[in-house]
Amino acid sequence: MTVRRALAATAALLTLGGVAACSGGDGSGSDPGRVDVVAAFYPLQFLAERIGGDAVTVTNLVKPGAEPHDLELHPRQVGQVADAELIVYLGGFQPAVDEAVAQNGNDRAFDVAGVQPLRDATEGGHEHEGEAGHEAEHGGKDPHLWLDPTRLATVGDRLAERLGRVDPDRAADFAARAKALHTELDGLDAEYTRGLATCQRREIVTSHTAFGYLTARYRLEQVGITGLSPEGEPSPQRLAEVAREAREHAAGTIFFETLVSPKVAETVAREVGARTAVLDPLEGRPADGDYLSAMRTNLQTLRTALDCS
């Protein structure tokens, strides 16, 4: 996080000090019949809404179309964290959220990073110049666990348990919805396994290394132009290295993302004579559909790019 962002987040927290104290953090939401849940970004919103159903009201801290990595919290959002009955977040992914939770909601927080060990940032990928700095932002861990449906299913199971402690009368409902979602995510996993089993190529060139969990699960290899931060600027040496690797693997597609400029991907694509395509890391809510439909769109995009039979 830049110095400017750090100062903005700190100012928001200080401004909210009096508001949080007045609110008492008692979790009283707008609808007393529902559990007031704050989700740090879209995949966690998806889980909370699917598992909570009509028993929850879910607020996503990231506005539609915004990039969640370096989220800056406004005073009202810090107040939402202070008042929530449950805060669902991923520790280390959004420093401003970590800070707001530490100051205003530690006892009501569910950190999905603690459900299963996170992958090391360089595990299964290509290490390159400047990557150490990007890794440091996330404690050397890759936060993008939701791109493995089986991991997201396990997070959903634990979230149902936590919701059940907040609202014991509906614990059985939460568990039932989590079980149904787990079955859907297992089905999605099976679709990926079948769909990517027989491909001409197994290397994907991506604008940043968000897809380590997906590539590890389905035996692909990720070549990232930049590291974990989508705002990273690759050096000319790194661009040349990626272009060389793309030629070696006969990569016909260079992937860019929905919330990030495609310019870097387009530069590499021009260099190697490839096309570009969107591979959605699902850090923000899809323009159409939901997590499941966006993941299925990603699967079809990968099958086309990798010449899968």
Side-chain angles (χ1 to χ4, degrees):
M1 190 167 61
T2 64
V3 172
R4 179 182 61 80
R5 289 189 173 104
L7 290 174
T10 301
L13 289 166
L14 290 174
T15 302
L16 243 293
V19 175
C22 292
S23 73
D26 61 1
S28 55
S30 56
D31 185 344
R34 297 186 178 193
V35 178
D36 185 20
V37 179
V38 165
F41 58 101
Y42 172 68
L44 306 185
Q45 176 191 1
F46 169 77
L47 279 185
E49 289 177 340
R50 285 295 304 268
I51 294 168
D54 59 6
V56 301
T57 300
V58 182
T59 300
N60 185 346
L61 292 175
V62 180
K63 295 180 180 178
E67 213 292 320
H69 280 77
D70 290 325
L71 171 68
E72 299 173 6
L73 293 182
H74 299 296
R76 180 172 175 274
Q77 292 173 300
V78 181
Q80 289 171 329
V81 171
D83 285 339
E85 291 172 89
L86 184 63
I87 308 147
V88 188
Y89 77 115
L90 197 161
F93 182 54
Q94 297 162 295
V97 176
D98 293 349
E99 185 70 14
V101 167
Q103 293 198 13
N104 296 299
N106 227 6
D107 57 331
R108 292 166 284 107
F110 174 63
D111 183 359
V112 305
V115 173
Q116 292 180 322
L118 297 179
R119 289 170 52 86
D120 289 335
T122 57
E123 188 178 352
H126 288 245
E127 201 168 339
H128 56 79
E129 178 185 344
E131 190 164 297
H134 300 313
E135 291 167 19
E137 296 176 7
H138 304 282
K141 298 295 181 180
D142 182 350
H144 303 87
L145 61 89
W146 59 89
L147 292 173
D148 177 345
T150 65
R151 284 180 177 257
L152 192 65
T154 300
V155 172
D157 294 341
R158 301 291 84 77
L159 176 57
E161 294 171 2
R162 184 60 184 271
L163 278 168
R165 294 201 294 272
V166 177
D167 188 349
D169 291 342
R170 290 168 170 158
D173 294 336
F174 298 142
R177 281 191 284 265
K179 183 177 180 180
L181 179 59
H182 198 130
T183 298
E184 287 189 71
L185 291 170
D186 282 346
L188 177 64
D189 175 56
E191 291 176 38
Y192 264 81
T193 300
R194 289 191 303 268
L196 298 175
T198 54
C199 303
Q200 295 298 312
R201 291 179 297 281
R202 306 208 69 81
E203 300 80 18
I204 62 172
V205 182
T206 61
S207 57
H208 93 282
T209 54
F211 299 92
Y213 290 91
L214 186 149
T215 55
R217 178 69 183 171
Y218 304 111
R219 298 184 298 108
L220 303 176
E221 183 178 1
Q222 175 178 227
V223 178
I225 300 174
T226 65
L228 285 173
S229 171
E231 296 180 350
E233 291 291 336
S235 66
Q237 293 82 357
R238 178 56 190 166
L239 288 173
E241 181 182 348
V242 171
R244 176 181 57 77
E245 293 187 51
R247 291 192 189 95
E248 286 178 358
H249 296 303
T253 304
I254 309 299
F255 294 107
F256 67 94
E257 302 170 19
T258 50
L259 300 178
V260 179
S261 169
K263 290 182 179 179
V264 172
E266 290 169 348
T267 297
V268 174
R270 282 195 301 270
E271 178 67 22
V272 302
R275 60 184 178 273
T276 59
V278 172
L279 194 63
D280 191 349
L282 282 158
E283 294 172 351
R285 187 179 194 118
D288 298 305
D290 62 5
Y291 170 88
L292 293 165
S293 60
M295 284 290 285
R296 290 189 172 99
T297 298
N298 278 348
L299 174 58
Q300 293 308 312
T301 300
L302 287 168
R303 283 178 51 79
T304 298
L306 300 176
D307 291 331
C308 305
S309 59

